[in-house]
Amino acid sequence: MSEHVHHVGITVEDLDQMVSFYQEAFGFEVLDRFEVSGESFSTGVGVPDATGSFAHLDGDGVRLELVEYDPEGSDATPDAVNQPGSTHVGVGTDDVDGVYEDLPETAEPVSEPQTTASGARILFLRDPEDNLVEVIDP
């Protein structure tokens, strides 16, 4: 048996808005859009009467799964990257500054691009639903 990372997933409130954001901000292409519901799905995700609307996007070989649930949950997203349970999507680029300059208005940069002690150029931002995204040129 061989395990591998299949995708990175983010639960979102507005699937169409978030698909547009990741397409506009990073040029990700939509691989597939679909909906899943029924007893097996509800049991599998532990949400009674759940329906999931999914979009799979190609982040240069890494599949980003965005999913909008009905019914929507009420748990809050962690506010800081150092809070246990916090997650982020890492997007590789060779032009962090160019990405920063071209960010859509719906993106909220945490700071301007920075160069770390290791020499990596990074930019952290929040997408329209407050999910943390790291843009990095390692």
Side-chain angles (χ1 to χ4, degrees):
M1 184 164 44
S2 173
E3 289 81 18
H4 63 279
V5 175
H6 180 267
H7 67 269
V8 174
I10 301 174
T11 299
V12 301
E13 290 182 37
D14 184 331
L15 185 62
D16 292 332
Q17 176 187 27
M18 296 301 285
V19 167
S20 293
F21 172 79
Y22 282 94
Q23 288 178 309
E24 183 181 339
F26 306 115
F28 289 2
E29 293 184 25
V30 175
L31 298 171
D32 198 7
R33 287 189 76 144
F34 56 94
E35 188 173 283
V36 181
S37 60
E39 186 176 336
S40 295
F41 179 69
S42 293
T43 301
V45 298
V47 178
D49 301 317
T51 297
S53 297
F54 292 83
H56 283 190
L57 294 92
D58 180 18
D60 193 29
V62 174
R63 183 181 300 235
L64 176 62
E65 177 184 83
L66 304 176
V67 58
E68 178 182 334
Y69 281 94
D70 182 27
E72 183 178 301
S74 59
D75 293 338
T77 301
D79 290 330
V81 70
N82 62 337
Q83 181 172 340
S86 176
T87 61
H88 71 274
V89 174
V91 178
T93 183
D94 59 4
D95 187 8
V96 172
D97 296 286
V99 170
Y100 177 72
E101 291 169 9
D102 293 337
L103 284 175
E105 290 182 15
T106 55
E108 181 184 331
V110 173
S111 71
E112 294 180 0
Q114 306 291 312
T115 301
T116 67
S118 68
R121 190 90 172 131
I122 62 169
L123 165 67
F124 276 85
L125 61 101
R126 295 220 175 254
D127 70 18
E129 290 189 3
D130 211 28
N131 298 300
L132 197 58
V133 179
E134 175 186 14
V135 180
I136 184 169
D137 179 357

